[in-house]
Amino acid sequence: MAVQTPCPFCAIQCGLTIDLSASAARPIPNDPIGAGHICRKGRVSQELLDHPLRVKAPLHRINGQWQAESWDTALDQATEELKSIQQRYGSNSIYVYGSGALTNEAAYLTGKLARLGIGTQEIDYNGRFCMASAARAYVQQFGLDRPTTVIDDINFSDVLLIAGSNLADAHPMILPKIQRARKRGAKIIVVDPRKTPMSRVADWHLAIRPGTDSYLAWALLSTVIEEDLINQQFISEWTENFTQVEEMSLSYRPELVAPLIDIDAETIRTVARLFARGPRSMFLHGRGIEQYHNGRQTVSSFLNLVIATGQVGRIGTGAIMLTGQANGQGGREMGQKLDQLPGGRSIEDPHDRAHVAALWGVEPEKLPHKGNYSASEVFDAITDGSIRAMIVIGANPAISAPNTARVRHALSQLETLIVLDPLHTETAQSAHWIFPSGGFGVSEGTITNIEARVIPVRSFEVPSEHAKPDWWVISQLGQRLSHSDQFQYSSVNEIFNEIRWATRGAAADYFGMSRQAIEAGEKFYWPCPLPGTHGTQRLYSQKFSRPRGRAQFLVDPPRAPLDTVSSQHPWHLITGRTWSHYNSGIQTQGIEALNKHSTQFMNIHPLTAQHLNICDNGPVRITNHRGQLEAIAHFDSSLRKDTIFVSMHGADANPNHLIASDLLSEVKMPEFKHTTVSIVPISPQIVLEEDGHGILSYHD
Ligand SMILES: Nc1nc2c(c(=O)[nH]1)N[C@H]1C(S)=C(S)[C@@H](COP(=O)(O)OP(=O)(O)OC[C@H]3O[C@@H](n4cnc5c(=O)[nH]c(N)nc54)[C@H](O)[C@@H]3O)O[C@H]1N2
Ligand SMILES: Nc1nc2c(c(=O)[nH]1)N[C@H]1C(S)=C(S)[C@@H](COP(=O)(O)OP(=O)(O)OC[C@H]3O[C@@H](n4cnc5c(=O)[nH]c(N)nc54)[C@H](O)[C@@H]3O)O[C@H]1N2
Ligand code: SF4
Ligand SMILES: [Mo]
């Protein structure tokens, strides 16, 4: 029987029709963004069900061997281990590591399990690595952690400024809208050090020097101020703090900034004029400007441009943060962040605490306070003994977190590591328990997509009969820990209903939504406070969600990236995605149609390669003061000559060996996008291999 459910990959969340007797997934006609089309990853998503690393039963690692257990035994024993750790070291020694891959219901229960079931303050999630910079900037400047409008507004835009996003590969179903916009005359500007499939659609490609986007944003602002292209009426009616921006912009005139960012002043001025004049201009951005130590500040400086020119609140205008993970949007408002309760509530706000405590049947004092360790910092806390046990739900930090040697070492120090994942990941290799939980075909509930629209997720028959939905596994853990009456759910819909109450009156308000209506295909967007309404697609047409209804300019001086080029490390290394693989690569490496592209490559300009005696397809060693990795050189003349590119997709050539973990930004975002390195060719290696019987032989 055919089932309709969203794609397991990116945050667009295209609807798929899954019929297990057919060879591929089909699109759903009239689906809001894809409009009856899906990309190649969506089409082959069914292959995830036959993934060779699929976990078939709860697994326990004893003396290095994996042993299958029944669910009852596994849940009983694993919770006994947690209780023992709680008794010996206290509840705050247990860490919960959540994810933007989970349904809203699973994400909500992940927070509830930590704060109520375990009673730990220590929780964070992989979305820290994804949306932390953008989320903070939007909340501070507009009031809500959400794009200001829906994707379809692209259809009405005259100018699209796209920075640090290769959405042609990462959000493929947005691309046709941009292509159509261009055909009808809209101007497309792409800022990316690389020529990407996205930049090929652009009228202007600004191949910026890596890590210098905050200077570009200020130079654009400086131009619109100097040339009087700002919207003075909008600024005085709807914003605050502009005077300081005006003053500071004088220091960043395009002529001063140009040599630093490697874009000529006239191009900067042209782009600034286009954006300001619109008439309808939109700013879209991805991780390329956000995953830096000053990522929040860079996003803010671009949002300053958006507000100064009044390009927000009207159809076809606004700012769109291109959320990454399937439920990156819902995952970040369900209470998985170390400082946040459901609805985007603050864990330190007395009213927010009282609201959630009442719903959970405890006194507000019983709720833990803000946690100490973000998703990256936790690995140091494990090594220093502050954290003794961890539950990882839907993430693969052994690959995706910065400084992988540190992460692997930390994982091996845990007394108990419980991983909830459909797949036997690199992280799960260090686990004591693996619970086959959630994932495509098994998950059920809702997700909230890139435009804050809530979509039903449906399960369908899967080959692994022992797999369980996350909500079931998490509530079983909760029942065995404490406040067991708060973890008695007979269906996932009960949890959605609890989310409605938990978020009532909060920023991300789901209270007005009806589960039945969502199931029937009606579209709901948060904030949706009133039953009988469908929430808000386009925000800020009347006022901003801040005090006095005003947007705020933030004045952050631009800053260079943390790692600078030197004679020892003369090359920029930047990281990102390719169309066929997904994040840590674990899911797509098991899908034959997607695994055709090796994750072992580093892309390099042929002239740079020649200078370094590196040949096409030759092996290289890439080094910085944190570590090294080996990769296969791939000639690519679309790169800047001073920059190489390594994908983030996997164990083969993982840039996270070289990425800093100790130099986090104010929002605890690692500088994932960039470091500086030296590169040397290595001759084809002679490898000594043991054949399993103690006999050594040589391979080349
Ligand atoms: N195929 C595929 N799609 C995905 C994913 C995937 O893994 N594979 N992952 C999903 C997730 S979780 C996310 S977060 C999104 C990410 O979506 P994107 O942010 O679009 O993806 P990235 O490739 O990480 O980064 C975008 C671009 O930033 C550029 N960049 C690097 N350094 C700089 C810089 O200093 N300045 C500027 N302006 N640009 C820079 C890179 O060259 C790259 O082209 O994709 C989602 N969709
Ligand atoms: N150098 C560098 N590092 C990066 C980035 C970068 O651009 N450069 N990008 C960062 C970003 S933006 C992100 S989002 C992270 C991603 O990092 P991760 O989240 O660690 O990567 P994924 O491969 O998406 O891992 C998700 C895991 O969840 C499992 N899963 C999927 N669905 C479910 C479910 O419903 N339930 C459960 N229990 N499990 C499920 C999958 O099988 C998979 O093992 O990586 C970050 N790391
Ligand atoms: S665009 Fe994203 S959600 Fe849509 S089919 Fe492709 S990967 Fe899936
Ligand atoms: Mo992401």
Side-chain angles (χ1 to χ4, degrees):
M1 216 186 60
V3 169
Q4 293 194 338
T5 196
C7 170
F9 299 115
C10 84
I12 294 183
Q13 289 295 283
C14 300
L16 305 180
T17 300
I18 302 290
D19 175 353
L20 293 179
S21 61
S23 60
R26 282 180 288 122
I28 297 176
N30 307 324
D31 201 47
I33 297 181
H37 298 275
I38 50 176
C39 82
R40 293 172 281 189
K41 285 194 296 300
R43 213 172 302 141
V44 299
S45 51
Q46 258 173 249
E47 285 189 41
L48 266 179
L49 306 180
D50 300 319
H51 197 296
L53 293 177
R54 223 177 150 106
V55 182
K56 300 276 164 59
L59 297 178
H60 189 194
R61 184 161 56 91
I62 305 169
N63 298 329
Q65 301 292 316
W66 290 104
Q67 190 175 310
E69 300 282 4
S70 71
W71 274 106
D72 272 343
T73 310
L75 290 162
D76 286 345
Q77 286 192 22
T79 43
E80 284 311 313
E81 286 177 24
L82 292 177
K83 282 182 193 162
S84 148
I85 288 168
Q86 240 170 344
Q87 271 159 15
R88 282 178 289 139
Y89 308 110
S91 296
N92 285 338
S93 70
I94 302 177
Y95 194 91
V96 178
Y97 195 109
S99 167
L102 308 179
T103 60
N104 289 325
E105 291 76 5
Y108 172 79
L109 282 193
T110 297
K112 190 173 180 184
L113 177 75
R115 271 102 184 202
L116 195 68
I118 299 170
T120 179
Q121 66 186 23
E122 298 303 342
I123 171 172
D124 207 32
Y125 80 128
N126 67 3
R128 171 75 52 194
F129 297 158
C130 194
M131 304 306 293
S133 300
R136 178 75 63 88
Y138 278 59
V139 168
Q140 288 187 335
Q141 294 180 265
F142 298 141
L144 294 177
D145 172 8
R146 212 207 92 164
T148 68
T149 190
V150 288
I151 299 293
D152 254 1
D153 258 20
I154 291 171
N155 299 337
F156 306 97
S157 298
D158 304 300
V159 177
L160 297 168
L161 171 59
I162 304 172
S165 150
N166 176 17
L167 60 79
D169 286 338
H171 301 91
M173 294 320 300
I174 300 181
L175 185 65
K177 293 188 194 299
I178 295 180
Q179 286 168 322
R180 277 199 297 276
R182 175 138 193 247
K183 262 204 189 129
R184 66 170 163 73
K187 298 290 176 237
I188 319 293
I189 305 142
V190 170
V191 187
D192 195 310
R194 297 189 299 151
K195 252 186 225 141
T196 60
M198 182 64 248
S199 73
R200 289 179 215 284
V201 182
D203 300 279
W204 278 269
H205 171 218
L206 278 48
I208 193 164
R209 193 187 306 283
T212 62
D213 298 79
S214 53
Y215 291 91
L216 170 65
W218 274 101
L220 294 170
L221 254 173
S222 146
T223 308
V224 296
I225 293 171
E226 186 191 325
E227 300 188 11
D228 201 17
L229 295 168
I230 52 177
N231 187 331
Q232 200 65 63
Q233 193 191 346
F234 185 88
I235 292 172
S236 51
E237 262 175 62
W238 293 116
T239 71
E240 54 194 39
N241 216 15
F242 185 61
T243 329
Q244 274 178 283
V245 175
E246 243 175 337
E247 274 165 30
M248 190 144 106
S249 71
L250 296 172
S251 313
Y252 301 102
R253 300 186 64 244
E255 290 67 23
L256 294 172
V257 166
L260 198 88
I261 68 175
D262 207 11
I263 298 168
D264 66 85
E266 204 36 51
T267 304
I268 299 174
R269 287 187 182 276
T270 306
V271 166
R273 288 171 197 143
L274 277 171
F275 191 85
R277 288 181 181 144
R280 297 170 191 275
S281 302
M282 194 187 272
F283 168 56
L284 301 97
H285 55 104
R287 304 306 82 77
I289 62 165
E290 300 166 28
Q291 290 171 326
Y292 279 94
H293 75 111
N294 65 335
R296 199 282 297 152
Q297 289 87 338
T298 304
V299 175
S300 289
S301 307
F302 278 105
L303 297 187
N304 286 346
L305 174 73
V306 170
I307 318 171
T309 51
Q311 293 291 5
V312 57
R314 288 172 292 127
I315 197 162
T317 68
I320 295 192
M321 45 160 123
L322 292 153
T323 290
Q325 299 180 86
N327 198 20
Q329 179 71 58
R332 67 180 187 264
E333 60 221 13
M334 287 296 147
Q336 300 188 94
K337 288 187 187 174
L338 54 80
D339 58 353
Q340 196 197 63
L341 291 169
R345 294 178 190 278
S346 158
I347 200 158
E348 298 303 347
D349 180 288
H351 295 290
D352 286 338
R353 291 175 67 80
H355 180 93
V356 175
L359 188 71
W360 290 355
V362 291
E363 292 302 314
E365 310 78 75
K366 287 276 178 218
L367 282 186
H369 284 270
K370 183 178 165 190
N372 282 323
Y373 312 116
S374 69
S376 176
E377 291 165 309
V378 62
F379 298 103
D380 298 323
I382 296 170
T383 304
D384 76 21
S386 308
I387 297 293
R388 303 286 176 148
M390 179 145 94
I391 308 177
V392 177
I393 312 178
N396 190 11
I399 302 292
S400 59
N403 192 345
T404 36
R406 170 194 74 122
V407 175
R408 301 269 176 118
H409 172 73
L411 291 173
S412 74
Q413 301 297 298
L414 286 163
E415 285 187 33
T416 295
L417 172 59
I418 304 170
V419 171
L420 275 63
D421 203 296
L423 302 179
H424 200 125
T425 62
E426 288 86 353
T427 304
Q429 284 168 20
S430 304
H432 303 91
W433 294 95
I434 311 178
F435 293 160
S437 179
F440 197 50
V442 177
S443 280
E444 53 183 20
T446 59
I447 65 99
T448 304
N449 86 336
I450 194 165
E451 33 181 29
R453 174 163 45 86
V454 179
I455 300 172
V457 176
R458 302 189 178 99
S459 59
F460 49 91
E461 196 185 317
V462 288
S464 163
E465 69 205 61
H466 295 292
K468 298 280 189 195
D470 294 306
W471 70 265
W472 184 87
V473 181
I474 301 168
S475 51
Q476 289 292 320
L477 290 169
Q479 285 174 26
R480 285 166 173 79
L481 288 159
S482 68
H483 299 90
S484 82
D485 56 314
Q486 281 288 333
F487 291 93
Q488 310 281 345
Y489 299 102
S490 54
S491 83
V492 71
N493 292 353
E494 287 176 19
I495 307 167
F496 185 82
N497 202 34
E498 192 172 312
I499 291 172
R500 289 182 49 234
W501 288 96
T503 61
R504 188 178 191 188
D509 193 335
Y510 285 58
F511 185 69
M513 297 183 193
S514 146
R515 185 67 183 83
Q516 286 71 19
I518 292 170
E519 196 61 36
E522 290 181 35
K523 296 184 199 72
F524 290 89
Y525 302 77
W526 73 255
C528 182
L530 298 175
T533 63
H534 286 80
T536 323
Q537 294 191 33
R538 298 182 173 88
L539 302 170
Y540 316 134
S541 57
Q542 312 285 329
K543 60 181 175 105
F544 291 93
S545 299
R546 291 192 64 260
R548 300 196 296 141
R550 284 170 182 259
Q552 179 178 218
F553 288 98
L554 287 180
V555 186
D556 302 288
R559 281 189 280 167
L562 287 169
D563 290 333
T564 47
V565 285
S566 63
S567 54
Q568 219 188 344
H569 300 123
W571 311 103
H572 295 282
L573 178 154
I574 58 171
T575 76
R577 284 143 175 95
T578 59
W579 78 262
S580 66
H581 280 291
Y582 191 75
N583 286 356
S584 76
I586 189 79
Q587 299 187 81
T588 42
Q589 279 158 25
I591 299 180
E592 209 187 322
L594 299 177
N595 199 29
K596 295 198 168 97
H597 301 92
S598 163
T599 55
Q600 216 182 341
F601 283 101
M602 72 103 176
N603 292 27
I604 185 167
H605 194 282
L607 291 176
T608 312
Q610 198 179 26
H611 169 79
L612 292 169
N613 271 330
I614 289 167
C615 47
D616 201 9
N617 289 316
V620 294
R621 183 172 299 119
I622 307 168
T623 312
N624 71 5
H625 57 282
R626 301 188 191 95
Q628 62 173 44
L629 64 95
E630 286 174 15
I632 305 293
H634 187 90
F635 283 12
D636 182 352
S637 49
S638 67
L639 278 163
R640 292 171 57 94
K641 294 188 195 69
D642 59 1
T643 302
I644 63 165
F645 175 82
V646 180
S647 95
M648 60 156 303
H649 301 305
D652 291 335
N654 185 351
N656 286 331
H657 296 327
L658 311 178
I659 296 293
S661 59
D662 49 342
L663 303 161
L664 303 169
S665 69
E666 63 168 42
V667 294
K668 309 289 185 190
M669 171 70 87
E671 192 149 296
F672 273 130
K673 272 288 172 283
H674 179 257
T675 181
T676 53
V677 295
S678 65
I679 315 162
V680 290
I682 39 180
S683 49
Q685 278 223 312
I686 294 178
V687 184
L688 209 51
E689 264 190 15
E690 207 241 2
D691 69 355
H693 303 281
I695 298 167
L696 296 172
S697 53
Y698 290 100
H699 293 267
D700 61 15

